[in-house]
């Protein structure tokens, strides 16, 4: 119980550490930033897509078209749930390896205003918050983002490419670099990296010889 409480407190610390007002459930989880132009896909438009498959936003339609997957595959992949333990998730994401993972996973997708300076804290907060109930999904992580995120492709500073966490399982440039493909793979990678070791089996005490 104490360990789970501590994990929850760590998640709270992550949110408190953000240098901007933070509130889980931003209404603008993806702001597609190309050069000086920005197109926004709202959480409501994502929720509609996840629940019905209807695409009501032009930017989302473009993101799906450039993902390397069909709309149905993105819908299924982003709503698929993975069993996790919040203790294992917290241990991994707060470890040196976890910080390195989070930095790698926010190559071009990061908070809109503070950008890379809060990317690790913000993404970690969302993943930990979604893992509290013992399951995570791409849609769940997105819903827990504490502030607006952008996918940045801005005149050479950022290239709009995301590092897919399972590069051996994607095919082609689109699947291996796009934001929505990145989202599809993210929860599975968190699950794989945060698995807790199996408890040692209990051994019955030896019977006395007398």
């Amino acid at each position: 119980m104490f360990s789970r409480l501590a994990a929850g407190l760590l998640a709270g610390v992550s949110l408190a550490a953000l240098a901007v007002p933070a509130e889980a459930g931003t209404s603008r989880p993806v702001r597609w930033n190309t050069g000086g132009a920005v197109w926004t896909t709202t959480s409501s438009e994502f929720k509609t897509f996840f629940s019905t498959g209807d695409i009501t936003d032009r930017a989302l339609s473009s993101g799906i078209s450039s993902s390397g997957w069909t709309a149905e595959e993105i819908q299924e992949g982003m709503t698929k749930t993975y069993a996790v333990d919040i203790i294992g998730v917290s241990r991994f994401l707060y470890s040196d390896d976890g910080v390195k993972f989070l930095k790698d996973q926010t190559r071009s997708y990061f908070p809109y205003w503070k950008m890379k300076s809060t990317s690790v804290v913000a993404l970690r907060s969302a993943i930990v918050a979604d893992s509290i109930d013992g399951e995570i999904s791409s849609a769940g992580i997105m819903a827990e983002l504490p502030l607006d995120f952008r996918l940045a492709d801005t005149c050479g500073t950022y290239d709009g490419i995301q590092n897919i966490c399972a590069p051996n399982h994607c095919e082609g440039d689109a699947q291996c670099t796009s934001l929505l493909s990145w989202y599809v793979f993210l929860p599975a990678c968190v699950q794989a990296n945060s698995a807790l070791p199996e408890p040692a089996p209990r051994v019955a005490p030896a019977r006395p010889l007398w």
Side-chain angles (χ1 to χ4, degrees), residues 4-202:
R4 292 182 183 276
L5 176 60
L9 291 173
L10 287 174
V13 170
S14 291
L15 289 171
L18 288 170
V20 293
E23 181 179 347
T26 177
S27 63
R28 296 178 293 186
V30 180
R31 306 187 72 181
W32 314 83
N33 182 193
T34 303
V38 180
W39 294 268
T40 300
T41 303
T42 66
S43 56
S44 176
E45 288 160 341
F46 272 109
K47 288 176 182 177
T48 297
F49 171 62
F50 294 148
S51 62
T52 69
D54 293 336
I55 303 168
T56 59
D57 173 63
R58 183 176 299 179
L60 176 58
S61 177
S62 177
I64 293 171
S65 296
S66 62
S67 70
W69 305 93
T70 66
E72 291 77 14
E73 288 170 331
I74 291 292
Q75 180 191 27
E76 180 181 357
M78 290 190 67
T79 55
K80 181 178 179 179
T81 59
Y82 296 81
V84 293
D85 189 302
I86 188 174
I87 297 174
V89 171
S90 296
R91 285 180 180 174
F92 168 59
L93 294 181
Y94 280 89
S95 69
D96 291 343
D97 286 342
V99 171
K100 182 178 179 181
F101 172 82
L102 292 166
K103 287 180 178 178
D104 182 69
Q105 293 302 291
T106 50
R107 171 174 170 171
S108 295
Y109 183 58
F110 38 70
Y112 188 81
W113 297 108
K114 294 293 183 177
M115 299 191 294
K116 301 290 282 189
S117 65
T118 55
S119 60
V120 167
V121 175
L123 181 57
R124 180 168 57 203
S125 296
I127 297 172
V128 171
D130 190 41
S131 70
I132 290 174
D133 63 356
E135 291 184 336
I136 59 172
S137 67
S138 302
I141 293 169
M142 176 182 285
E144 295 291 348
L145 290 175
L147 32 66
D148 296 357
F149 265 57
R150 73 166 79 181
L151 178 68
D153 185 358
T154 53
C155 304
T157 305
Y158 299 104
D159 57 14
I161 290 174
Q162 276 296 96
N163 293 329
I164 305 301
C165 61
N168 294 331
H169 295 278
C170 59
E171 297 181 0
D173 288 344
Q175 283 189 12
C176 296
T177 64
S178 65
L179 175 66
L180 296 184
S181 186
W182 170 84
Y183 257 120
V184 167
F185 285 106
L186 179 62
C189 291
V190 172
Q191 181 195 55
N193 283 289
S194 65
L196 294 172
E198 292 291 332
R202 295 184 63 183

